[in-house]
């Protein structure tokens, strides 16, 4: 069995793993994301120790962004403009690669999670498909013609602009850049700020969910008409509230209003918009998946 290293550098926590796949996890370490120096030192120390024991075929990094993924850029693998203190302009990929002397691949945490779902999860090798994480933030990754989506930078669909009715929802949103974009309206912190309660503890009957399903459905309709994905996977902390799925599915069908004449939408929406299979380990297993795809 080939073994790979994976790092998920998230906004609040960092997870390091040695694995061959989701059923072959050899070692794992979790710690808080603090300063870049402290966080990277912990990660590098973990992999140095593991390298003494195991032969690793490569390392995958799935990181919060925005991150420079243009291989021709002088700042390839750098975190770019994050509001996270100390992390702007941090050289992530090359620093780790140089310290560990291992082939390294980097992508966004959501593209990594998408690759995990593609290889081992609910995407089952289908392309194009998209993966959304809806939790502390909102992000999207995905594959198009079998390749992870990159372009000008990478998808930032958490910041798509949605319709908000200021009468039914006077909350102006918290995104520092746009106010009431998707993330500003529908992420976990937005739910907490609007209703004064965590999405984890609200009862299923709370009116928050109707509004939440509406915003998520708007974003899914935009995604469907823009990218024509064959599957949409929804993960992240907010989506652990499973009652949201049928609400979103109904809203999507209703908003499309028969325009997209596909049996997946009209008759099998429950197989079209689905939960993530890799759950809470999606990010770090996705980083392993990046390495598997790049160095197998
Ligand atoms: Zn925004």
């Amino acid at each position: 069995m080939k073994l790979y290293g994976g790092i998920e550098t998230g906004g609040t926590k960092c997870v390091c793993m040695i694995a061959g796949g989701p059923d072959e996890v050899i070692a794992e370490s979790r710690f808080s994301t603090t300063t870049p120096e402290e966080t990277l030192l912990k990660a590098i120390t973990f992999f140095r120790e593991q390298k003494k024991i195991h032969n690793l075929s490569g390392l995958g990094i799935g990181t919060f962004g925005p991150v420079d993924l243009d291989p021709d850029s002088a700042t390839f693998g750098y975190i770019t403009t994050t509001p996270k203190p100390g992390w702007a302009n941090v050289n992530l990929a090359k620093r780790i690669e140089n310290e560990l002397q291992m082939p390294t691949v980097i992508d966004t945490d959501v593209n990594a999670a998408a690759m995990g779902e593609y290889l081992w999860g609910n995407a089952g090798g289908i392309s194009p498909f998209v993966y959304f994480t809806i939790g502390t933030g909102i992000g999207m990754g995905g594959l198009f013609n079998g390749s992870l989506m990159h372009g000008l930078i990478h998808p930032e669909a958490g910041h798509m602009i949605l319709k908000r009715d200021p009468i039914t929802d006077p909350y102006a949103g918290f995104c520092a850049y746009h106010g009431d974009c998707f993330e500003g309206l529908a992420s976990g912190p937005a739910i907490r700020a609007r209703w004064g309660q965590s999405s984890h503890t609200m009862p299923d009957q709370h009116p928050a969910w109707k509004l939440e399903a509406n915003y998520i459905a708007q974003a899914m309709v935009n995604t469907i008409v823009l990218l024509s994905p064959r599957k949409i996977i929804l993960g992240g902390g907010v989506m652990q509230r499973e009652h949201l799925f049928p609400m979103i599915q109904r809203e999507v069908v209703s908003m499309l209003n028969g325009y997209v004449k596909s049996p997946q939408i009209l008759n099998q929406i429950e197989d079209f918009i689905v939960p993530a299979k890799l759950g809470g380990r999606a990010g770090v297993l996705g980083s392993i998946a990046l390495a598997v795809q790049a160095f197998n």
Side-chain angles (χ1 to χ4, degrees):
M1 177 180 68
K2 278 195 173 185
L3 288 177
Y4 303 86
I7 311 180
E8 174 193 9
T9 53
T12 54
K13 69 175 191 322
C14 187
V15 189
C16 299
M17 183 180 272
I18 306 295
D23 302 322
E24 297 147 341
V25 176
I26 305 295
E28 190 174 338
S29 173
R30 292 171 175 258
F31 40 91
S32 297
T33 305
T34 55
T35 62
E37 278 312 311
E38 188 178 50
T39 309
L40 292 183
L41 183 65
K42 280 185 184 167
I44 287 163
T45 305
F46 170 83
F47 287 108
R48 280 211 178 113
E49 291 304 311
Q50 292 297 323
K51 265 184 79 180
K52 292 177 188 164
I53 315 169
H54 305 291
N55 184 19
L56 302 180
S57 300
L59 184 82
I61 306 170
T63 182
F64 66 86
V67 54
D68 185 346
L69 297 175
D70 176 0
D72 297 328
S73 163
T75 53
F76 171 76
Y78 279 56
I79 303 284
T80 58
T81 53
T82 179
K84 196 168 170 49
W87 282 86
N89 304 312
V90 163
N91 177 0
L92 197 58
K94 287 288 173 214
R95 161 98 194 270
I96 292 172
E97 187 170 64
N98 291 340
E99 295 259 7
L100 293 173
Q101 291 297 307
M102 263 168 68
T104 300
V105 57
I106 185 168
D107 216 307
T108 63
D109 46 6
V110 269
N111 257 346
M115 184 58 86
E117 290 290 329
Y118 183 71
L119 292 186
W120 303 313
N122 281 339
I126 288 175
S127 166
F129 93 96
V130 295
Y131 169 90
F132 277 88
T133 179
I134 302 173
T136 312
I138 297 183
M140 190 201 91
L143 282 90
F144 210 92
N145 294 335
S147 298
L148 286 168
M149 291 183 195
H150 299 132
L152 190 63
I153 51 164
H154 44 73
E156 282 287 358
H159 296 271
M160 73 172 85
I161 305 300
L162 304 179
K163 269 198 268 187
R164 174 175 67 93
D165 174 0
I167 309 285
T168 47
D169 183 16
Y171 178 63
F174 82 97
C175 176
Y177 292 86
H178 319 110
D180 59 355
C181 65
F182 186 18
E183 180 172 288
L185 290 173
S187 59
I191 296 174
R192 181 186 282 277
R194 183 188 290 109
W195 302 99
Q197 237 189 99
S198 161
S199 63
H200 297 291
T201 53
M202 272 178 185
D204 288 1
Q205 296 75 26
H206 196 288
W209 298 118
K210 187 172 187 301
L211 191 66
E212 183 70 9
N214 176 274
Y215 286 139
I216 297 173
Q218 285 192 48
M220 297 309 110
V221 164
N222 291 347
T223 303
I224 291 164
V225 295
L226 196 66
L227 295 173
S228 210
R230 293 181 188 278
K231 192 159 289 240
I232 294 176
I233 296 180
L234 301 180
V238 172
M239 295 313 303
Q240 285 169 12
R241 298 301 301 265
E242 289 174 6
H243 72 293
L244 266 175
F245 279 89
M247 296 173 79
I248 294 165
Q249 289 157 349
R250 277 196 300 272
E251 282 261 21
V252 166
V253 172
S254 161
M255 284 179 194
L256 283 170
N257 198 22
Y259 184 74
V260 177
K261 297 219 179 301
S262 154
Q264 278 79 1
I265 305 272
L266 298 174
N267 308 317
Q268 298 160 302
I269 189 84
E270 63 280 0
D271 298 324
F272 176 73
I273 297 176
V274 299
K277 186 175 176 187
L278 301 179
R281 298 193 303 166
V284 67
L285 281 172
S287 303
I288 298 280
L290 290 178
V292 169
Q293 189 80 349
F295 308 119
N296 70 357

